[in-house]
Amino acid sequence: MGSGKQVSRSAHIGDAGIALIHQRVSAMDHVWHERTVDAGIDGTIELRDPATGEVSNCHLQVQSKASDNDFPGETADRFHYDCDERDLDYWMKSSMPVLLVCSHPKRGEAWWAHIQSYFADPARRASGRVDFNKITMSLEGDVSDRLFAVADPHGRAHTPVADLRDETLESNLLPVTMPDVFWAYDGAVTLPRKVYDLQRESSLDIRDDFTLFGGRLLTWSPVEDTALAGAVNGDPTIEATGELLDGSPDSERILVRLLNNAFRQDLRDDCAFHGKRHMLYFRATDDLTPRS
C-alpha cells in the first residue's frame, strides 16, 4: 500500500496549541498575528483598547509549547517547563516582551509566563526552568490588564472598559494613643522566651506588653504584682515616651515593638499570635460556632 502525505502528530498538536492561543486572545478582543516562518516565535499579540476598538501598537511575542501529555512534574496545581538554551538566548535578546505559553489543546488549558521578567533572576536564568502555577498563570478569561502591564511597563494610558458598580469600603485602621511614659527595668534575662519561661513559673497571667533592649525590660505599666516581676531586677526608671520619638532607628524599633506587643496584650482574650507568620489571628470558638 502506498504512503500518502502525512501531517505528523507533533505538528498537529503544535497547530492546535496555536489555535487555542488565537481563541483566547480573540476572546479578550485583542489581535493575534501568526508567523509563517518560525525561528522561536510563533506569533504576536497586538493589544487593542477594549473601550474604543483602537489597536495600541503594543505587541507581545509568543512562543507556544503544546502537548497532549503531562508536562514535567505536572499535578493539579503546577508543572514546570525546561527551556532549550538556544530558545532562551533568542527570547532574552528580544526588544519586545516574549510570552511562553504552555498548553494542553485537547483539554482547552493554557498557561503563560513573561520570559524576560521571569528570568531576570540569575538563579532562574541559570536553571532555564519555568515553574508554572496553574491558578495564577492561567491564560483563561480576561487578563488584559496584566498583558498591558507587560507590553507597556511604563504605564502609558489605555482605556479599560468601565465597570459600574457600588462598593462599600471598610477600614481596618485603628487609632493609636500612646502613654506619656514607659517603665524601664534591668532585665534578669536577655531572651524573650526566657522572660516567658519565668512568667510561667508564677501563678499570674502572662504578659505580652514588653520588649527587651540593651539589657533592659521595657513595658507600658509597672511589673509589680504581675508575672513579669520575676523577669526584672531592682526598681524601674520611668521615662518619657517622647524620648522614643527622636527619629533614631533603634528608638523607632523599640516603640514599634512596644506598640505591637501591647496590641497582642489587648487582644489576647480573642486572638493568638502566630510566631512563624508574625501575625495575630482569631482563635476558634470553644464549640467551633461562627465568630462575629
Side-chain angles (χ1 to χ4, degrees), residues 80-108:
H80 66 266
Y81 182 83
D82 294 308
C83 301
D84 180 275
E85 185 63 26
R86 291 176 301 172
D87 282 342
L88 190 48
D89 283 340
Y90 182 70
W91 299 334
M92 294 296 286
K93 291 175 184 176
S94 175
S95 59
M96 293 168 54
V98 176
L99 307 185
L100 172 64
V101 178
C102 292
S103 66
H104 292 314
K106 281 189 175 181
R107 307 177 203 170

PDB file of all heavy atoms in Angstrom, residues 80-108:
ATOM      1  N   HIS A  80       6.374  22.191  35.503  1.00  0.00           N
ATOM      2  CA  HIS A  80       7.482  23.032  35.071  1.00  0.00           C
ATOM      3  C   HIS A  80       7.847  22.729  33.630  1.00  0.00           C
ATOM      4  O   HIS A  80       7.501  21.678  33.086  1.00  0.00           O
ATOM      5  CB  HIS A  80       8.701  22.878  35.993  1.00  0.00           C
ATOM      6  CG  HIS A  80       9.347  21.526  35.961  1.00  0.00           C
ATOM      7  ND1 HIS A  80       9.021  20.523  36.857  1.00  0.00           N
ATOM      8  CD2 HIS A  80      10.300  21.002  35.140  1.00  0.00           C
ATOM      9  CE1 HIS A  80       9.738  19.445  36.593  1.00  0.00           C
ATOM     10  NE2 HIS A  80      10.526  19.710  35.557  1.00  0.00           N
ATOM     11  N   TYR A  81       8.528  23.702  33.027  1.00  0.00           N
ATOM     12  CA  TYR A  81       8.973  23.537  31.646  1.00  0.00           C
ATOM     13  C   TYR A  81      10.447  23.914  31.580  1.00  0.00           C
ATOM     14  O   TYR A  81      10.842  24.992  32.039  1.00  0.00           O
ATOM     15  CB  TYR A  81       8.158  24.413  30.691  1.00  0.00           C
ATOM     16  CG  TYR A  81       8.562  24.212  29.251  1.00  0.00           C
ATOM     17  CD1 TYR A  81       8.046  23.154  28.510  1.00  0.00           C
ATOM     18  CD2 TYR A  81       9.488  25.055  28.638  1.00  0.00           C
ATOM     19  CE1 TYR A  81       8.434  22.942  27.191  1.00  0.00           C
ATOM     20  CE2 TYR A  81       9.885  24.854  27.332  1.00  0.00           C
ATOM     21  CZ  TYR A  81       9.350  23.795  26.612  1.00  0.00           C
ATOM     22  OH  TYR A  81       9.753  23.588  25.317  1.00  0.00           O
ATOM     23  N   ASP A  82      11.266  23.031  31.024  1.00  0.00           N
ATOM     24  CA  ASP A  82      12.698  23.276  30.866  1.00  0.00           C
ATOM     25  C   ASP A  82      12.954  23.846  29.481  1.00  0.00           C
ATOM     26  O   ASP A  82      12.743  23.170  28.464  1.00  0.00           O
ATOM     27  CB  ASP A  82      13.485  21.979  31.070  1.00  0.00           C
ATOM     28  CG  ASP A  82      13.375  21.460  32.500  1.00  0.00           C
ATOM     29  OD1 ASP A  82      13.646  22.245  33.417  1.00  0.00           O
ATOM     30  OD2 ASP A  82      13.010  20.283  32.680  1.00  0.00           O
ATOM     31  N   CYS A  83      13.395  25.091  29.436  1.00  0.00           N
ATOM     32  CA  CYS A  83      13.608  25.778  28.159  1.00  0.00           C
ATOM     33  C   CYS A  83      14.894  25.306  27.493  1.00  0.00           C
ATOM     34  O   CYS A  83      15.915  25.101  28.161  1.00  0.00           O
ATOM     35  CB  CYS A  83      13.673  27.289  28.375  1.00  0.00           C
ATOM     36  SG  CYS A  83      12.198  27.994  29.119  1.00  0.00           S
ATOM     37  N   ASP A  84      14.843  25.175  26.182  1.00  0.00           N
ATOM     38  CA  ASP A  84      16.051  24.936  25.407  1.00  0.00           C
ATOM     39  C   ASP A  84      16.939  26.172  25.506  1.00  0.00           C
ATOM     40  O   ASP A  84      16.464  27.313  25.386  1.00  0.00           O
ATOM     41  CB  ASP A  84      15.674  24.658  23.940  1.00  0.00           C
ATOM     42  CG  ASP A  84      16.894  24.389  23.080  1.00  0.00           C
ATOM     43  OD1 ASP A  84      17.493  25.372  22.598  1.00  0.00           O
ATOM     44  OD2 ASP A  84      17.243  23.214  22.895  1.00  0.00           O
ATOM     45  N   GLU A  85      18.227  25.970  25.732  1.00  0.00           N
ATOM     46  CA  GLU A  85      19.134  27.099  25.955  1.00  0.00           C
ATOM     47  C   GLU A  85      19.178  28.038  24.757  1.00  0.00           C
ATOM     48  O   GLU A  85      19.237  29.259  24.905  1.00  0.00           O
ATOM     49  CB  GLU A  85      20.539  26.579  26.276  1.00  0.00           C
ATOM     50  CG  GLU A  85      21.542  27.658  26.647  1.00  0.00           C
ATOM     51  CD  GLU A  85      21.174  28.400  27.925  1.00  0.00           C
ATOM     52  OE1 GLU A  85      20.480  27.823  28.772  1.00  0.00           O
ATOM     53  OE2 GLU A  85      21.592  29.577  28.054  1.00  0.00           O
ATOM     54  N   ARG A  86      19.107  27.475  23.556  1.00  0.00           N
ATOM     55  CA  ARG A  86      19.144  28.329  22.360  1.00  0.00           C
ATOM     56  C   ARG A  86      17.862  29.158  22.265  1.00  0.00           C
ATOM     57  O   ARG A  86      17.918  30.346  21.911  1.00  0.00           O
ATOM     58  CB  ARG A  86      19.315  27.477  21.108  1.00  0.00           C
ATOM     59  CG  ARG A  86      20.686  26.806  20.991  1.00  0.00           C
ATOM     60  CD  ARG A  86      20.725  25.904  19.778  1.00  0.00           C
ATOM     61  NE  ARG A  86      19.673  24.866  19.861  1.00  0.00           N
ATOM     62  CZ  ARG A  86      19.390  24.039  18.866  1.00  0.00           C
ATOM     63  NH1 ARG A  86      20.040  24.120  17.713  1.00  0.00           N
ATOM     64  NH2 ARG A  86      18.436  23.127  19.021  1.00  0.00           N
ATOM     65  N   ASP A  87      16.709  28.539  22.581  1.00  0.00           N
ATOM     66  CA  ASP A  87      15.462  29.301  22.579  1.00  0.00           C
ATOM     67  C   ASP A  87      15.514  30.425  23.605  1.00  0.00           C
ATOM     68  O   ASP A  87      15.138  31.571  23.323  1.00  0.00           O
ATOM     69  CB  ASP A  87      14.283  28.378  22.923  1.00  0.00           C
ATOM     70  CG  ASP A  87      13.846  27.511  21.762  1.00  0.00           C
ATOM     71  OD1 ASP A  87      14.191  27.832  20.615  1.00  0.00           O
ATOM     72  OD2 ASP A  87      13.146  26.505  22.009  1.00  0.00           O
ATOM     73  N   LEU A  88      16.018  30.097  24.790  1.00  0.00           N
ATOM     74  CA  LEU A  88      16.049  31.080  25.863  1.00  0.00           C
ATOM     75  C   LEU A  88      16.948  32.253  25.509  1.00  0.00           C
ATOM     76  O   LEU A  88      16.598  33.422  25.728  1.00  0.00           O
ATOM     77  CB  LEU A  88      16.513  30.414  27.161  1.00  0.00           C
ATOM     78  CG  LEU A  88      16.386  31.215  28.452  1.00  0.00           C
ATOM     79  CD1 LEU A  88      15.011  31.843  28.586  1.00  0.00           C
ATOM     80  CD2 LEU A  88      16.691  30.330  29.650  1.00  0.00           C
ATOM     81  N   ASP A  89      18.117  31.988  24.923  1.00  0.00           N
ATOM     82  CA  ASP A  89      19.003  33.071  24.477  1.00  0.00           C
ATOM     83  C   ASP A  89      18.299  33.958  23.456  1.00  0.00           C
ATOM     84  O   ASP A  89      18.397  35.188  23.492  1.00  0.00           O
ATOM     85  CB  ASP A  89      20.279  32.489  23.865  1.00  0.00           C
ATOM     86  CG  ASP A  89      21.248  31.993  24.927  1.00  0.00           C
ATOM     87  OD1 ASP A  89      21.122  32.417  26.092  1.00  0.00           O
ATOM     88  OD2 ASP A  89      22.126  31.182  24.589  1.00  0.00           O
ATOM     89  N   TYR A  90      17.584  33.314  22.539  1.00  0.00           N
ATOM     90  CA  TYR A  90      16.881  34.044  21.483  1.00  0.00           C
ATOM     91  C   TYR A  90      15.792  34.930  22.071  1.00  0.00           C
ATOM     92  O   TYR A  90      15.664  36.105  21.707  1.00  0.00           O
ATOM     93  CB  TYR A  90      16.284  33.032  20.501  1.00  0.00           C
ATOM     94  CG  TYR A  90      15.555  33.617  19.324  1.00  0.00           C
ATOM     95  CD1 TYR A  90      16.240  34.278  18.299  1.00  0.00           C
ATOM     96  CD2 TYR A  90      14.179  33.502  19.222  1.00  0.00           C
ATOM     97  CE1 TYR A  90      15.570  34.808  17.211  1.00  0.00           C
ATOM     98  CE2 TYR A  90      13.490  34.029  18.137  1.00  0.00           C
ATOM     99  CZ  TYR A  90      14.188  34.680  17.132  1.00  0.00           C
ATOM    100  OH  TYR A  90      13.509  35.201  16.058  1.00  0.00           O
ATOM    101  N   TRP A  91      15.017  34.383  23.004  1.00  0.00           N
ATOM    102  CA  TRP A  91      13.937  35.161  23.613  1.00  0.00           C
ATOM    103  C   TRP A  91      14.476  36.324  24.431  1.00  0.00           C
ATOM    104  O   TRP A  91      13.933  37.436  24.392  1.00  0.00           O
ATOM    105  CB  TRP A  91      13.089  34.270  24.516  1.00  0.00           C
ATOM    106  CG  TRP A  91      12.415  33.125  23.823  1.00  0.00           C
ATOM    107  CD1 TRP A  91      12.058  33.060  22.510  1.00  0.00           C
ATOM    108  CD2 TRP A  91      12.028  31.886  24.416  1.00  0.00           C
ATOM    109  NE1 TRP A  91      11.473  31.847  22.236  1.00  0.00           N
ATOM    110  CE2 TRP A  91      11.427  31.104  23.388  1.00  0.00           C
ATOM    111  CE3 TRP A  91      12.102  31.341  25.690  1.00  0.00           C
ATOM    112  CZ2 TRP A  91      10.935  29.827  23.620  1.00  0.00           C
ATOM    113  CZ3 TRP A  91      11.602  30.074  25.922  1.00  0.00           C
ATOM    114  CH2 TRP A  91      11.026  29.318  24.891  1.00  0.00           C
ATOM    115  N   MET A  92      15.543  36.092  25.180  1.00  0.00           N
ATOM    116  CA  MET A  92      16.071  37.135  26.060  1.00  0.00           C
ATOM    117  C   MET A  92      16.674  38.298  25.280  1.00  0.00           C
ATOM    118  O   MET A  92      16.789  39.411  25.790  1.00  0.00           O
ATOM    119  CB  MET A  92      17.109  36.549  27.018  1.00  0.00           C
ATOM    120  CG  MET A  92      16.547  35.540  28.020  1.00  0.00           C
ATOM    121  SD  MET A  92      15.354  36.253  29.175  1.00  0.00           S
ATOM    122  CE  MET A  92      16.445  37.191  30.256  1.00  0.00           C
ATOM    123  N   LYS A  93      17.074  38.067  24.025  1.00  0.00           N
ATOM    124  CA  LYS A  93      17.639  39.131  23.196  1.00  0.00           C
ATOM    125  C   LYS A  93      16.572  40.017  22.584  1.00  0.00           C
ATOM    126  O   LYS A  93      16.883  41.068  22.017  1.00  0.00           O
ATOM    127  CB  LYS A  93      18.489  38.514  22.079  1.00  0.00           C
ATOM    128  CG  LYS A  93      19.775  37.863  22.550  1.00  0.00           C
ATOM    129  CD  LYS A  93      20.485  37.180  21.390  1.00  0.00           C
ATOM    130  CE  LYS A  93      21.736  36.445  21.859  1.00  0.00           C
ATOM    131  NZ  LYS A  93      22.380  35.694  20.748  1.00  0.00           N
ATOM    132  N   SER A  94      15.326  39.608  22.672  1.00  0.00           N
ATOM    133  CA  SER A  94      14.264  40.354  22.006  1.00  0.00           C
ATOM    134  C   SER A  94      14.044  41.710  22.654  1.00  0.00           C
ATOM    135  O   SER A  94      14.094  41.853  23.882  1.00  0.00           O
ATOM    136  CB  SER A  94      12.960  39.547  22.048  1.00  0.00           C
ATOM    137  OG  SER A  94      11.890  40.298  21.511  1.00  0.00           O
ATOM    138  N   SER A  95      13.784  42.719  21.819  1.00  0.00           N
ATOM    139  CA  SER A  95      13.447  44.048  22.327  1.00  0.00           C
ATOM    140  C   SER A  95      11.973  44.149  22.686  1.00  0.00           C
ATOM    141  O   SER A  95      11.522  45.155  23.235  1.00  0.00           O
ATOM    142  CB  SER A  95      13.783  45.112  21.280  1.00  0.00           C
ATOM    143  OG  SER A  95      13.063  44.865  20.071  1.00  0.00           O
ATOM    144  N   MET A  96      11.199  43.106  22.360  1.00  0.00           N
ATOM    145  CA  MET A  96       9.777  43.049  22.701  1.00  0.00           C
ATOM    146  C   MET A  96       9.562  41.995  23.783  1.00  0.00           C
ATOM    147  O   MET A  96      10.329  41.033  23.867  1.00  0.00           O
ATOM    148  CB  MET A  96       8.945  42.692  21.457  1.00  0.00           C
ATOM    149  CG  MET A  96       8.950  43.764  20.379  1.00  0.00           C
ATOM    150  SD  MET A  96       8.242  43.143  18.816  1.00  0.00           S
ATOM    151  CE  MET A  96       6.653  42.536  19.392  1.00  0.00           C
ATOM    152  N   PRO A  97       8.536  42.149  24.602  1.00  0.00           N
ATOM    153  CA  PRO A  97       8.240  41.112  25.606  1.00  0.00           C
ATOM    154  C   PRO A  97       7.920  39.783  24.916  1.00  0.00           C
ATOM    155  O   PRO A  97       7.242  39.752  23.889  1.00  0.00           O
ATOM    156  CB  PRO A  97       7.016  41.658  26.337  1.00  0.00           C
ATOM    157  CG  PRO A  97       6.996  43.119  26.045  1.00  0.00           C
ATOM    158  CD  PRO A  97       7.584  43.278  24.692  1.00  0.00           C
ATOM    159  N   VAL A  98       8.412  38.706  25.511  1.00  0.00           N
ATOM    160  CA  VAL A  98       8.158  37.369  24.984  1.00  0.00           C
ATOM    161  C   VAL A  98       7.351  36.584  26.022  1.00  0.00           C
ATOM    162  O   VAL A  98       7.733  36.519  27.193  1.00  0.00           O
ATOM    163  CB  VAL A  98       9.469  36.628  24.666  1.00  0.00           C
ATOM    164  CG1 VAL A  98       9.179  35.194  24.209  1.00  0.00           C
ATOM    165  CG2 VAL A  98      10.255  37.369  23.593  1.00  0.00           C
ATOM    166  N   LEU A  99       6.253  35.993  25.582  1.00  0.00           N
ATOM    167  CA  LEU A  99       5.443  35.134  26.435  1.00  0.00           C
ATOM    168  C   LEU A  99       5.642  33.687  26.019  1.00  0.00           C
ATOM    169  O   LEU A  99       5.585  33.362  24.824  1.00  0.00           O
ATOM    170  CB  LEU A  99       3.958  35.469  26.316  1.00  0.00           C
ATOM    171  CG  LEU A  99       3.532  36.924  26.528  1.00  0.00           C
ATOM    172  CD1 LEU A  99       2.009  37.021  26.484  1.00  0.00           C
ATOM    173  CD2 LEU A  99       4.072  37.479  27.828  1.00  0.00           C
ATOM    174  N   LEU A 100       5.898  32.836  26.984  1.00  0.00           N
ATOM    175  CA  LEU A 100       5.914  31.391  26.756  1.00  0.00           C
ATOM    176  C   LEU A 100       4.549  30.862  27.182  1.00  0.00           C
ATOM    177  O   LEU A 100       4.135  31.048  28.323  1.00  0.00           O
ATOM    178  CB  LEU A 100       7.022  30.728  27.570  1.00  0.00           C
ATOM    179  CG  LEU A 100       7.025  29.192  27.575  1.00  0.00           C
ATOM    180  CD1 LEU A 100       7.287  28.640  26.170  1.00  0.00           C
ATOM    181  CD2 LEU A 100       8.057  28.667  28.567  1.00  0.00           C
ATOM    182  N   VAL A 101       3.853  30.225  26.246  1.00  0.00           N
ATOM    183  CA  VAL A 101       2.530  29.679  26.528  1.00  0.00           C
ATOM    184  C   VAL A 101       2.590  28.158  26.412  1.00  0.00           C
ATOM    185  O   VAL A 101       2.871  27.619  25.338  1.00  0.00           O
ATOM    186  CB  VAL A 101       1.460  30.230  25.564  1.00  0.00           C
ATOM    187  CG1 VAL A 101       0.096  29.597  25.870  1.00  0.00           C
ATOM    188  CG2 VAL A 101       1.372  31.749  25.683  1.00  0.00           C
ATOM    189  N   CYS A 102       2.377  27.477  27.522  1.00  0.00           N
ATOM    190  CA  CYS A 102       2.306  26.016  27.537  1.00  0.00           C
ATOM    191  C   CYS A 102       0.831  25.612  27.604  1.00  0.00           C
ATOM    192  O   CYS A 102       0.054  26.219  28.347  1.00  0.00           O
ATOM    193  CB  CYS A 102       3.056  25.440  28.736  1.00  0.00           C
ATOM    194  SG  CYS A 102       4.848  25.669  28.655  1.00  0.00           S
ATOM    195  N   SER A 103       0.473  24.590  26.830  1.00  0.00           N
ATOM    196  CA  SER A 103      -0.950  24.265  26.746  1.00  0.00           C
ATOM    197  C   SER A 103      -1.193  22.777  26.556  1.00  0.00           C
ATOM    198  O   SER A 103      -0.313  22.030  26.113  1.00  0.00           O
ATOM    199  CB  SER A 103      -1.599  25.033  25.597  1.00  0.00           C
ATOM    200  OG  SER A 103      -1.071  24.601  24.348  1.00  0.00           O
ATOM    201  N   HIS A 104      -2.407  22.391  26.925  1.00  0.00           N
ATOM    202  CA  HIS A 104      -2.974  21.087  26.583  1.00  0.00           C
ATOM    203  C   HIS A 104      -4.188  21.375  25.696  1.00  0.00           C
ATOM    204  O   HIS A 104      -5.301  21.590  26.203  1.00  0.00           O
ATOM    205  CB  HIS A 104      -3.414  20.337  27.847  1.00  0.00           C
ATOM    206  CG  HIS A 104      -2.292  19.902  28.736  1.00  0.00           C
ATOM    207  ND1 HIS A 104      -1.154  19.292  28.263  1.00  0.00           N
ATOM    208  CD2 HIS A 104      -2.145  19.990  30.092  1.00  0.00           C
ATOM    209  CE1 HIS A 104      -0.351  19.016  29.283  1.00  0.00           C
ATOM    210  NE2 HIS A 104      -0.920  19.436  30.397  1.00  0.00           N
ATOM    211  N   PRO A 105      -3.999  21.424  24.383  1.00  0.00           N
ATOM    212  CA  PRO A 105      -5.099  21.828  23.499  1.00  0.00           C
ATOM    213  C   PRO A 105      -6.349  20.967  23.640  1.00  0.00           C
ATOM    214  O   PRO A 105      -7.469  21.490  23.625  1.00  0.00           O
ATOM    215  CB  PRO A 105      -4.482  21.708  22.100  1.00  0.00           C
ATOM    216  CG  PRO A 105      -3.009  21.841  22.312  1.00  0.00           C
ATOM    217  CD  PRO A 105      -2.747  21.212  23.640  1.00  0.00           C
ATOM    218  N   LYS A 106      -6.182  19.653  23.784  1.00  0.00           N
ATOM    219  CA  LYS A 106      -7.356  18.791  23.884  1.00  0.00           C
ATOM    220  C   LYS A 106      -8.200  19.113  25.109  1.00  0.00           C
ATOM    221  O   LYS A 106      -9.420  18.958  25.105  1.00  0.00           O
ATOM    222  CB  LYS A 106      -6.928  17.325  23.923  1.00  0.00           C
ATOM    223  CG  LYS A 106      -6.573  16.748  22.562  1.00  0.00           C
ATOM    224  CD  LYS A 106      -6.367  15.250  22.661  1.00  0.00           C
ATOM    225  CE  LYS A 106      -6.126  14.631  21.284  1.00  0.00           C
ATOM    226  NZ  LYS A 106      -5.941  13.153  21.370  1.00  0.00           N
ATOM    227  N   ARG A 107      -7.527  19.570  26.182  1.00  0.00           N
ATOM    228  CA  ARG A 107      -8.242  19.892  27.416  1.00  0.00           C
ATOM    229  C   ARG A 107      -8.666  21.360  27.468  1.00  0.00           C
ATOM    230  O   ARG A 107      -9.346  21.788  28.400  1.00  0.00           O
ATOM    231  CB  ARG A 107      -7.375  19.594  28.635  1.00  0.00           C
ATOM    232  CG  ARG A 107      -6.811  18.178  28.671  1.00  0.00           C
ATOM    233  CD  ARG A 107      -5.916  18.011  29.889  1.00  0.00           C
ATOM    234  NE  ARG A 107      -4.942  16.939  29.722  1.00  0.00           N
ATOM    235  CZ  ARG A 107      -3.938  16.713  30.548  1.00  0.00           C
ATOM    236  NH1 ARG A 107      -3.775  17.481  31.622  1.00  0.00           N
ATOM    237  NH2 ARG A 107      -3.081  15.725  30.332  1.00  0.00           N
ATOM    238  N   GLY A 108      -8.216  22.143  26.478  1.00  0.00           N
ATOM    239  CA  GLY A 108      -8.539  23.570  26.487  1.00  0.00           C
ATOM    240  C   GLY A 108      -7.873  24.322  27.611  1.00  0.00           C
ATOM    241  O   GLY A 108      -8.435  25.278  28.144  1.00  0.00           O
TER     242      GLY A 108
END
